[in-house]
Amino acid sequence: RADTAMYQAKASGRNAFRFFTAQMNADVHERLAMQNHLRHAIQQGEFELHYQPQIDLVTGHVSGAEALLRWHSAVLGTVPPARFIPLAEESGLIIPIGEWVLREACRQAQQWREQGLGPMVMAVNVSALQFHRSDPVEMVGRILSETGLPAECLELELTESLLVQDGAGATLETLRRLKALGLRIAIDDFGTGYSSLAYLRRFPIDKLKIDRAFVRDIACDPEDAAIVNLIVDLGRILKLKTIAEGVEDPEQLAFLGARGCNEVQGYLFARPMPGADFAAYLDSALKA
Ligand code: C2E
Ligand code: CA
Ligand code: CA
Ligand code: CA
């Protein structure tokens, strides 16, 4: 039957259109179904955070962790964030989900501190909708006091597009109020969005996170190498820390180290892992 449909799709423009429409309907249907499951995921306890270490290139120590959301759906199985985060953003569900992520990450970081596994900074991804459609300052302040995590142990990863969205005045004000809490701000996926050098000077930013798209071919592609060099130099001039993500091999590490990038994160050191495994990782890193 599929063969027949394919044959007809090829044979006639009209049928090709119908075939394509059926496929689109199936996609829409699947997305709606996924959104419905997503709606119940928090209360069903289907979310989990994994943690990936960030390594200081000078000391070689673990300086922090990035919290990465995992969804183990009872119905759909494990769904990767690249598939469900966009749906969560479209539906507005990212607001309660993002709050769950922040609370869980802060709670976990504070528990590790109390167990003597710190000092460590917990980095949490914040989506544009969360930043613009809710009161992030109130939420972050409330969660810090609920969990007892000192603000200087929290870093928010914001994307460039988030910063240039809507009138920069409101964004700047929100950033200033967040900074006043005492936390740190990193620009995620730096270089992939609408880079505006102006906002780097104006906004109270602490760190540039070099996207793994630039890091991947750093050792063999002169253009990627030049971009990474530029970002690291820019960081130095503007007194911003730089961290490279997606570091997978020793050649990439050597390049970044020679250029003076401050921190690295990637499979070369560890994959994102559940909290219990990360605690064991921290414990052995401290003893080493
Ligand atoms: P991201 O913020 O750029 O996160 C880095 C992604 O690269 C993660 O994918 C991580 O697992 C992966 N990664 C880390 N090291 C390596 C490496 O050496 N090689 C390769 N190939 N990949 C590496 P993940 O966990 O699938 O997350 C994908 C994206 O989903 C994230 O990209 C982020 O944009 C979003 N995301 C994840 N968790 C959250 C969350 O809690 N809130 C929001 N708003 N977005 C999230
Ligand atoms: Ca990130
Ligand atoms: Ca990102
Ligand atoms: Ca990235």
Side-chain angles (χ1 to χ4, degrees):
R1 269 196 176 262
D3 284 355
T4 314
M6 275 303 221
Y7 173 74
Q8 284 178 349
K10 278 184 192 147
S12 131
R14 199 163 136 250
N15 277 335
F17 180 70
R18 203 176 285 156
F19 184 72
F20 184 57
T21 309
Q23 182 57 46
M24 286 201 313
N25 281 338
D27 288 349
V28 168
H29 188 80
E30 190 197 291
R31 284 150 56 89
L32 284 177
M34 196 182 277
Q35 245 174 48
N36 274 329
H37 294 304
L38 201 53
R39 213 171 293 281
H40 305 291
I42 292 184
Q43 77 204 65
Q44 307 275 10
E46 294 179 341
F47 286 131
E48 182 193 19
L49 290 184
H50 281 193
Y51 302 92
Q52 188 178 34
Q54 302 181 327
I55 314 292
D56 183 307
L57 268 179
V58 173
T59 65
H61 293 155
V62 178
S63 52
E66 179 178 5
L68 293 156
L69 184 57
R70 298 293 177 257
W71 180 24
H72 309 290
S73 163
V75 181
L76 304 167
T78 297
V79 185
R83 288 193 63 205
F84 74 82
I85 296 279
L87 283 183
E89 283 172 346
E90 269 172 43
S91 59
L93 285 168
I94 194 67
I95 291 175
I97 293 172
E99 181 163 343
W100 181 90
V101 168
L102 186 69
R103 182 176 293 108
E104 180 58 16
C106 290
R107 186 201 62 75
Q108 182 63 88
Q110 179 60 9
Q111 188 187 42
W112 286 334
R113 284 170 50 79
E114 286 165 359
Q115 292 169 352
L117 295 171
M120 202 194 59
V121 173
M122 180 63 76
V124 178
N125 292 286
V126 175
S127 91
L129 195 78
Q130 240 184 311
F131 190 86
H132 292 296
R133 295 283 172 78
S134 64
D135 185 350
V137 188
E138 185 278 332
M139 181 194 58
V140 173
R142 178 163 41 82
I143 288 176
L144 285 173
S145 64
E146 263 175 44
T147 58
L149 185 72
E152 62 267 26
C153 297
L154 177 63
E155 184 166 278
L156 301 180
E157 295 195 0
L158 313 177
T159 57
E160 286 173 287
S161 47
L162 179 158
L163 295 178
V164 295
Q165 210 166 300
D166 86 357
T171 303
L172 179 58
E173 178 58 23
T174 305
L175 285 176
R176 283 199 178 129
R177 288 170 58 218
L178 282 171
K179 282 294 295 173
L181 293 175
L183 50 74
R184 308 182 198 194
I185 307 280
I187 305 301
D188 206 357
D189 302 339
F190 186 74
T192 63
Y194 319 72
S195 296
S196 157
L197 296 178
Y199 77 68
L200 286 184
R201 290 192 58 209
R202 214 166 28 169
F203 289 173
I205 292 162
D206 301 283
K207 195 186 272 188
L208 302 178
K209 191 162 192 180
I210 307 169
D211 193 70
R212 74 166 189 268
F214 300 119
V215 174
R216 191 174 43 226
D217 299 326
I218 210 177
C220 54
D221 183 331
E223 289 175 358
D224 285 344
I227 290 172
V228 171
N229 280 339
L230 207 66
I231 298 176
V232 172
D233 287 346
L234 191 65
R236 195 177 295 115
I237 292 163
L238 296 175
K239 300 188 176 61
L240 306 173
K241 293 220 166 223
T242 45
I243 178 168
E245 69 173 16
V247 178
E248 295 183 353
D249 61 52
E251 290 74 33
Q252 293 165 335
L253 178 65
F255 181 98
L256 292 159
R259 293 303 307 172
C261 183
N262 301 109
E263 291 172 59
V264 283
Q265 179 182 343
Y267 295 168
L268 179 62
F269 300 92
R271 296 199 169 233
M273 57 190 126
D277 296 352
F278 192 82
Y281 174 90
L282 279 181
D283 196 46
S284 61
L286 284 175
K287 284 178 189 139

